[in-house]
Amino acid sequence: MEQYYHTNLYLNLLLLFISAVSLSFFAIFYKHKSQYYNHPNLPPGRPGIPYLGETLAFLTTGWIGRPEKFVTDRIREFSSSAFKTHIIGKPTVVLTGAEGNKFLFTNENKLVVVWWPDSVSKIFPFSETTSIHEESRRFRKFLPQFMKPEALQRYVGEMDEVARRHFASLWEDRDEVEVLPLTKKYTFWVACRLFVSLDDPARIAELGVPFDHVASGIFALPYDFPGTPFRRAIRASKFIREEYLMEIIRRRKAELAAAAEESHQDILSYMLTATDDGGEHMSDIDIADKILGLLVGSHDTASATCTFVVKFLSELPDVYDRVYQEQMEIARSKSAGELLNWEDIKKMKYSWNVACEVLRLTPPVQGSFRKATTDFIFNGFSIPKGWKLYWSVPSTHKNEKYFPKPEKFDPSRFEGSGPEPYTFVPFGGGPKMCPGKEYARLEILVFMHNLVKRFKFEMLIPGEKIIVNPICVPANGLPIRLFPHEAAIFYKHRSQYYNHPNLPPGRPGIPYLGETLDFLSTGWTGRPEKFVTDRIREFSSSAFKTHIVGEPTVVLTGAEGNKFLFTNENKLVVVWWPDSVSKIFPFSETTSIHEESRRFRKFLPQFMKPEALQRY
């Protein structure tokens, strides 16, 4: 009886515990749903699971290389250009299309303000007395002094000098390179030079390592545990501010106090001397935070675009040739050692159209967040105060409504008046358009100029996957093979040979000659079949490509190959002889060698058929 009592008590307690846990989970889920759905007339959508919402689905589409999928799937599912979700820990409305972009951009600081996930404030700890929105407002107040086109003109030569040194030290004399790490080094070097006048490659390289940690942690899952990208980003941010930037600031203040004749006129010097409306200078730590934000902002976005410029130029020889012609015309106009200037940049119109098409197809940033400062209505839907709003770049960039054949690379889209307003938005729009747009334009064009005047190149991983984590980048860093222009003949031979899809296996041989010497030497040695049989064995194919007698050629072997050629004479193929034959047998200038052969065969059977030959 006592045993039964204890067993019954145990079961009752177990059931009570399970019920309590179940009720707790139900309460969490209900709170999540009720918090999410408690407002009338919200856009269609779903909250996802408690706490995480749909964050994993949002991030996963980027990790698998299809960042637009999260948005396009829901547009299709809910038949709405606005939908609600729950991402990065917040209830969020996603606005898509040109209409959504226009609404957000034109209502900046009216109905919405810029918003960043809470994790950002842990990586960039702004002043405790101001919000991230207020800090952003202050930042944008002085930044145009350095980022507007007329201010940037004087930096073109400095960018070109950095680019020349960068290519000389890290690209030249190399057969193969991985592009993404190198473009990061280039853009970071430019930023260090222009923002804080840091020009020592060794110190810049040392500083670049923690900056990589900061950049990769900004949109990582905000779990502050040892070993996570988020924890590494927080530690790296603190290290950069305290160990590097504060030292640079102290040294610069001493230079300014001494009124050094060669005191640097960069953004750091401006921050140290500028005052707010009350005549107060920024604190050193505020300056360090802002410089950190500038360096991080310029570290990954422009480098990703430079990387994809290389990708598309390697895939599209015609586009490369036009960029090369434009840039070489500029290069030929310069005297030895003369740096690029503003007038040169203005001549790079086609190159910038190419860069814009790269930005359309592979925008570094897929979108950003705003916060509703009041209740408002969009397209008949209620958006509650405090909710977050997300605008999506691919929702217009990859939309056939705005860009016909959106997957096609077509720089002509940006000729004339260009795309419709609010459809091409890699830099955002409205009052919050990226203030670094012109800076990025110069940096990208200077990179393109220095790249194409030195090299042609080919991808080592054709069709390399593209991922977003959090910046859009090639999954393997885009390894390429370089062909300096002294070896351009070889590259042209290869690209001409391999530029057609699904060719048989084979190789081009050396420029001009191809494999002609191999082809002929097997006959000279008395084994004429060896050229063919060796390649059948090597490529495990009865058809292979080669380059002989000055022409790209496919060799078909065996009865099947013979049958195909003989039965398709004058249908898919015609007789052909090397150009040398026409020089030895100069046929009529008005007919081709094929036409002469056809005429010859028309009358020859009269003399060569058996009954005609009997009399001979």
Side-chain angles (χ1 to χ4, degrees), residues 539-590:
F539 302 122
S540 300
S541 175
S542 61
F544 62 87
K545 63 179 179 285
T546 181
H547 196 279
I548 51 177
V549 200
E551 299 291 340
T553 304
V554 171
V555 179
L556 304 186
T557 69
E560 184 182 13
N562 294 343
K563 179 181 177 182
F564 180 86
L565 286 178
F566 300 158
T567 57
N568 282 288
E569 189 78 48
N570 296 323
K571 299 173 186 175
L572 302 179
V573 299
V574 294
V575 67
W576 177 83
W577 290 93
D579 294 340
S580 56
V581 173
S582 62
K583 293 183 178 180
I584 298 173
F585 300 98
F587 298 104
S588 167
E589 294 181 2
T590 61

Side-chain angles (χ1 to χ4, degrees), residues 6 40-41 83 89 93 100 103 136 233 244 275 280 302 312 324 353 382 393 415 417 487 498 516:
H6 285 300
N41 200 34
F83 62 88
V93 171
F103 180 87
S136 176
Y244 277 89
T275 58
E280 295 292 324
F312 286 109
Y324 176 75
N353 288 347
S382 297
V393 176
E415 294 175 356
S417 58
Y498 282 108
T516 302

Side-chain angles (χ1 to χ4, degrees), residues 386-400:
W387 273 48
K388 309 307 177 283
L389 299 107
Y390 180 79
W391 62 273
S392 166
V393 176
S395 74
T396 54
H397 284 202
K398 300 284 185 74
N399 192 324
E400 193 166 21

Side-chain angles (χ1 to χ4, degrees), residues 29 32 36 46-59 70 74 84-92 221 223:
F29 187 68
H32 179 67
Y36 194 81
R46 52 175 168 264
I49 61 177
Y51 294 120
L52 280 178
E54 295 192 295
T55 301
L56 287 180
F58 176 68
L59 297 175
F70 179 85
R74 286 155 180 77
K84 62 178 178 285
T85 182
H86 195 279
I87 51 178
I88 319 294
K90 300 294 180 181
T92 303
L221 293 174
Y223 300 137

Side-chain angles (χ1 to χ4, degrees), residues 146-297:
F146 291 87
M147 294 300 183
K148 56 188 177 183
E150 52 270 33
L152 287 168
Q153 291 182 23
R154 62 182 181 272
Y155 297 136
V156 176
E158 290 189 65
M159 286 185 177
D160 189 30
E161 182 185 344
V162 169
R164 293 183 183 196
R165 291 167 62 189
H166 166 79
F167 277 97
S169 61
L170 298 175
W171 294 66
E172 292 177 2
D173 300 323
R174 286 168 171 78
D175 297 327
E176 297 177 3
V177 296
E178 189 176 327
V179 178
L180 182 60
L182 293 185
T183 58
K184 283 186 177 184
K185 292 178 188 297
Y186 161 69
T187 57
F188 192 55
W189 190 347
V190 170
C192 288
R193 169 80 172 261
L194 298 186
F195 297 164
V196 296
S197 299
L198 180 61
D199 200 33
D200 178 2
R203 287 200 70 196
I204 292 170
E206 183 181 349
L207 189 55
V209 175
F211 264 96
D212 280 335
H213 293 322
V214 173
S216 63
I218 292 174
F219 283 107
L221 293 174
Y223 300 137
D224 189 5
F225 302 127
T228 62
F230 186 57
R231 168 66 68 87
R232 285 197 298 270
I234 293 173
R235 296 182 64 180
S237 171
K238 182 180 180 182
F239 174 78
I240 293 167
R241 291 196 315 277
E242 295 179 1
E243 299 296 327
Y244 277 89
L245 295 181
M246 292 300 287
E247 177 194 344
I248 292 172
I249 289 168
R250 284 192 292 269
R251 189 164 60 245
R252 182 64 56 81
K253 287 177 77 173
E255 291 175 1
L256 291 171
E261 291 184 7
E262 297 183 3
S263 181
H264 304 283
Q265 296 302 310
D266 53 24
I267 287 182
L268 175 57
S269 289
Y270 179 80
M271 287 184 181
L272 287 168
T273 56
T275 58
D276 61 18
D277 295 338
E280 295 292 324
H281 291 279
M282 278 188 283
S283 68
D284 290 358
I285 193 63
D286 279 348
I287 292 173
D289 286 337
K290 289 175 174 58
I291 292 292
L292 175 63
L294 271 175
L295 290 172
V296 170

Side-chain angles (χ1 to χ4, degrees), residues 91-106:
T92 303
V93 171
V94 179
L95 303 187
T96 68
E99 185 181 14
N101 292 344
K102 180 180 180 181
F103 180 87
L104 285 179
F105 298 157
T106 57

